[in-house]
Amino acid sequence: MFLADFWRAKIYMLVGGGLGILAAVVFLMLAVPHYRATMLIAPTTGLTAVDITGLFPHNASFAAEYVAQNPGPRESTDFMRFEQMLRGASVARSLYQDDVIRRGVVQEASFRMSAPKDLPSPAYLAAYLQKHVKIEPVGLTPMRRLVYDHPDPEFAAYLLLAMHRAADDLIRADIAGKSAQRVAWLNEALGRAVHPDHKRALAALLIEQEQIRMILAMDEPFAAAITETAASSPRPLWPPKMLVILTALFAGMVLGYGLYVARKTTSGRRD
């Protein structure tokens, strides 16, 4: 029964399939090819955490006071901060100053007849990053894969690198500010200290803060290391031509068969 219906509906299905392929060709002609840029990042093995465990055996009260007054970010949280900030408002404000990024985002379009994007403020850029830049886990590792599609492969890689640099610099500046506050507090406390143990502890903490400031001065990633630099695919990955054509062909044939069944049912009722 069904095979006989398919055979009788072959003309409808062939016409439907042909129209589906035609629609797919029109879609592919109007679609703007997009390249995919990817970049792998991972937590840095930094030395910025202040180790005060040695203070507790002989001077627990001072160590507790220092922790209470200086609960700055630890290395274990820097990468998590980086992930949250990467597509946020602060990074968008920094990127918005770059003319290359503004032009690239405005020119991005899925179809040739699409209107240019409106980018009047950093808030719009932040919304664009949230929508178009993906952060994917890499297996069970702490690494993350950044993914971004754009018609210009060079711009796609440029944006990922710019986002990384902006987020990393913001975290670096925040930690540098907190370190400066700690140094000022420690110097003041050292001037007030009378007990030799207190002075030794404060001096050790000052040395550790100087180490942090030296690390911050280095020209290398601070919160997130680039495991694999940004690179774009050699060919456009969107739209997937074969998938679009096969899907349109199947959908056209199904619609053709549905039209045959509808006409057959209508004719049967009239008879």
Side-chain angles (χ1 to χ4, degrees), residues 169-193:
D169 286 348
L170 286 169
I171 294 175
R172 184 194 302 270
D174 179 65
I175 298 223
K178 286 183 169 60
S179 180
Q181 292 176 358
R182 291 171 185 161
V183 168
W185 183 88
L186 288 169
N187 280 322
E188 183 181 351
L190 187 60
R192 298 194 311 264

Side-chain angles (χ1 to χ4, degrees), residues 78-96:
D78 289 338
F79 189 69
M80 289 187 290
R81 291 179 63 196
F82 180 90
E83 280 191 84
Q84 298 302 316
M85 293 174 59
L86 190 61
R87 300 176 297 175
S90 56
V91 169
R93 281 194 297 271
S94 176
L95 297 179
Y96 195 76

Side-chain angles (χ1 to χ4, degrees), residues 91-99 101-102 119-123 125:
V91 169
R93 281 194 297 271
S94 176
L95 297 179
Y96 195 76
Q97 309 303 318
D98 191 334
D99 292 338
I101 290 178
R102 290 205 308 274
L119 205 66
S121 69
L125 179 57

Side-chain angles (χ1 to χ4, degrees), residues 103-173:
R103 286 197 302 269
V105 170
V106 168
Q107 293 171 0
E108 193 272 336
S110 298
F111 296 95
R112 302 186 190 280
M113 65 284 195
S114 300
K117 283 184 171 54
D118 189 19
L119 205 66
S121 69
Y124 284 79
L125 179 57
Y128 175 87
L129 297 178
Q130 287 285 344
K131 181 178 180 180
H132 293 276
V133 179
K134 299 178 182 177
I135 304 177
E136 301 175 347
V138 181
L140 299 177
T141 69
M143 291 191 297
R144 296 292 183 266
R145 179 183 291 107
L146 306 183
V147 182
Y148 175 57
D149 295 346
H150 193 272
D152 184 350
E154 293 184 1
F155 174 78
Y158 178 86
L159 178 65
L160 292 184
L161 289 170
M163 291 174 65
H164 172 274
R165 183 173 59 252
D168 203 77
D169 286 348
L170 286 169
I171 294 175
R172 184 194 302 270

Side-chain angles (χ1 to χ4, degrees), residues 4-20:
D5 277 346
F6 276 123
W7 179 251
R8 295 189 190 99
K10 60 182 181 295
I11 301 300
Y12 289 87
M13 295 175 68
L14 287 174
V15 172
L19 292 175

